[in-house]
Amino acid sequence: MDLDAINSPWAVREDLLPAIAGILTGKSAGLEQLLGEVPEPEAAALNRGGMLQNSVAVIPLSGMITPKASFLSMLFGGGGGLGVFRAQLREAVSNDEVGSILINVDSPGGRLDLLPETAAEIRAAGEEKPVVAVANTMAASAAYWLASQANELVITPSGQVGSVGVYCMHIDWSKWNGEFGIDVTYVAAGRYKTELNPDEPLSDEALAYLQARVDEGRDQFAADVAKGRKVSAATVKGEQFGEGRMLKAKDAVKAGMADRVEPLEAAIARLARGGRRSSAGGRRAEGLQFTDHIASVVAEVDAVIDRAADVVAKRAEKGKGLGSESADLLAELGARLDRVRGISPPGPGNDDNEATTAAARQEFLRSVRDRVA
């Protein structure tokens, strides 16, 4: 019986921990013999979904998330554990043939072990190459913790993300033992060594201890998601991010939990169009490819121009000139144009990219001048 696993905080969908506890306590069809770890060669084979598609490294993050592959994770459709996932991530970062990385996520969450370390590694990878996570179709709890660290988080149209929270459970078998005449005696050294045993109710002190561990896990969860999604930890803990509930695709994007709704295949194709990217450090991809970035800036400038035109027309009617309001809008327009002028091609030494960049910039600035004039 794995008491530590049962009593430890989990970041998993709320309906799964009772089933997991049943397995870990051996109460479900005698499955306690399946708790051993899977040998590394077999664990690596579980992640055979990883592949390279047109310079895009596709890395699976599926099933129950555990530090290492185990038969428990296999029961819930898991892969080779976070050890194998991190090895694949490092390989993709160091491989010059890889231009971008896509994490294919379908997981209800799992244990907290190695989650903060893996989250930090995903963020670091995003400093080297574009990293996109796709909830295909579920990124719940621990899986969302990790997926939120990517430069961009995509949800498939039928997908969902969330279950932001941490919990654990304690099973008290004392009444069951009494019914069957079972008396359990623990002989231990250490005041708290057996305080979480399943054969007696939790003491108030033990309950407070478990609550503190859960609160600490939730704080770590919120802090990492806040870094990845660029919001406050309070926002992550609040109603906007579901407070433990799952959000469907469009609702999650609206709440800021994800960036766009898109099928997996479309996301891979979009990244592949970016081609090979230099892996030189210090360049952070904010989840958008170069063409997407230009499109977003164009949309921003168009909106500012429309607002400026309205103000100018109103002021002209009253004969008051531009006034302070239009001046502010034009200053904002100038800032947007500076962003366009500062755009650099995605890969150094790539003549095609440089030519595309120059042409796009000239055409865009020409259209802006025509509209303002």
Side-chain angles (χ1 to χ4, degrees):
M1 183 185 303
D2 192 339
L3 288 178
D4 179 66
I6 297 172
N7 294 321
S8 293
W10 287 66
V12 69
R13 216 177 58 201
E14 68 279 0
D15 56 325
L16 289 184
L17 193 51
I20 296 168
I23 294 171
L24 294 178
T25 56
K27 302 300 181 182
S28 295
L31 293 175
E32 67 272 16
Q33 69 270 22
L34 299 181
L35 299 180
E37 292 180 358
V38 176
E40 288 190 7
E42 288 80 357
L46 291 173
N47 278 38
R48 55 184 172 269
M51 63 188 76
L52 183 63
Q53 296 189 23
N54 297 323
S55 79
V56 181
V58 180
I59 304 176
L61 183 66
S62 59
M64 188 66 64
I65 294 177
T66 54
K68 297 181 180 180
S70 68
F71 289 104
L72 172 64
S73 65
M74 290 172 59
L75 285 173
F76 290 90
L82 290 180
V84 172
F85 171 82
R86 294 170 76 185
Q88 292 181 334
L89 182 64
R90 292 166 191 163
E91 181 180 355
V93 171
S94 63
N95 187 347
D96 290 339
E97 295 300 315
V98 173
S100 52
I101 300 168
L102 184 142
I103 304 174
N104 184 7
V105 185
D106 188 16
S107 168
R111 297 191 64 167
L112 269 61
D113 308 67
L114 288 184
L115 285 180
E117 296 88 339
T118 306
E121 196 154 346
I122 294 173
R123 289 196 303 272
E127 298 287 349
E128 301 292 328
K129 297 178 180 181
V131 177
V132 172
V134 179
N136 178 42
T137 58
M138 179 191 297
S141 213
Y144 181 72
W145 186 331
L146 298 181
S148 67
Q149 306 309 299
N151 300 130
E152 182 184 44
L153 204 167
V154 175
I155 308 180
T156 55
S158 61
Q160 54 183 334
V161 300
S163 191
V164 177
V166 174
Y167 77 123
C168 66
M169 63 185 297
H170 175 269
I171 301 176
D172 175 11
W173 292 99
S174 58
K175 292 182 180 179
W176 187 89
N177 290 343
E179 183 176 348
F180 288 91
I182 299 173
D183 292 320
V184 180
T185 300
Y186 289 88
V187 180
R191 178 180 175 184
Y192 303 114
K193 187 62 178 178
T194 62
E195 68 173 341
L196 302 180
N197 80 78
D199 297 303
E200 62 183 3
L202 278 179
S203 67
D204 291 342
E205 193 174 14
L207 181 59
Y209 167 71
L210 287 181
Q211 185 63 58
R213 293 182 68 188
V214 167
D215 291 342
E216 180 183 12
R218 185 192 184 207
D219 288 343
Q220 286 183 311
F221 193 159
D224 274 341
V225 173
K227 292 176 185 176
R229 298 306 303 165
K230 296 180 175 56
V231 297
S232 69
T235 297
V236 177
K237 292 180 179 180
E239 185 176 354
Q240 182 175 332
F241 273 51
E243 290 190 296
R245 289 181 174 175
M246 297 290 289
L247 274 70
K248 298 293 288 185
K250 291 183 179 180
D251 293 332
V253 172
K254 183 179 180 180
M257 295 182 71
D259 297 296
R260 69 169 76 197
V261 179
E262 185 176 52
L264 174 69
E265 297 77 11
I268 294 174
R270 177 166 56 87
L271 285 175
R273 287 196 296 271
R276 286 181 60 180
R277 298 280 301 265
S278 167
S279 60
R283 191 173 60 248
R284 179 171 179 82
E286 295 296 341
L288 293 174
Q289 292 299 317
F290 178 60
T291 53
D292 292 327
H293 183 47
I294 285 187
S296 70
V297 175
V298 169
E300 290 174 351
V301 174
D302 279 346
V304 176
I305 290 174
D306 289 338
R307 288 163 55 202
D310 290 342
V311 172
V312 170
K314 292 177 181 178
R315 296 290 185 182
E317 290 177 2
K318 297 180 180 181
K320 296 181 180 179
L322 291 179
S324 60
E325 185 178 356
S326 58
D328 290 342
L329 288 171
L330 292 177
E332 184 179 346
L333 173 60
R336 303 297 188 190
L337 292 177
D338 286 341
R339 284 185 60 199
V340 177
R341 296 188 185 100
I343 291 175
S344 59
N350 189 323
D351 293 338
D352 292 339
N353 281 336
E354 291 176 359
T356 301
T357 303
R361 183 185 295 122
Q362 291 174 5
E363 178 62 27
F364 173 67
L365 293 176
R366 186 181 304 112
S367 67
V368 171
R369 285 196 298 270
D370 291 344
R371 292 196 61 180
V372 174

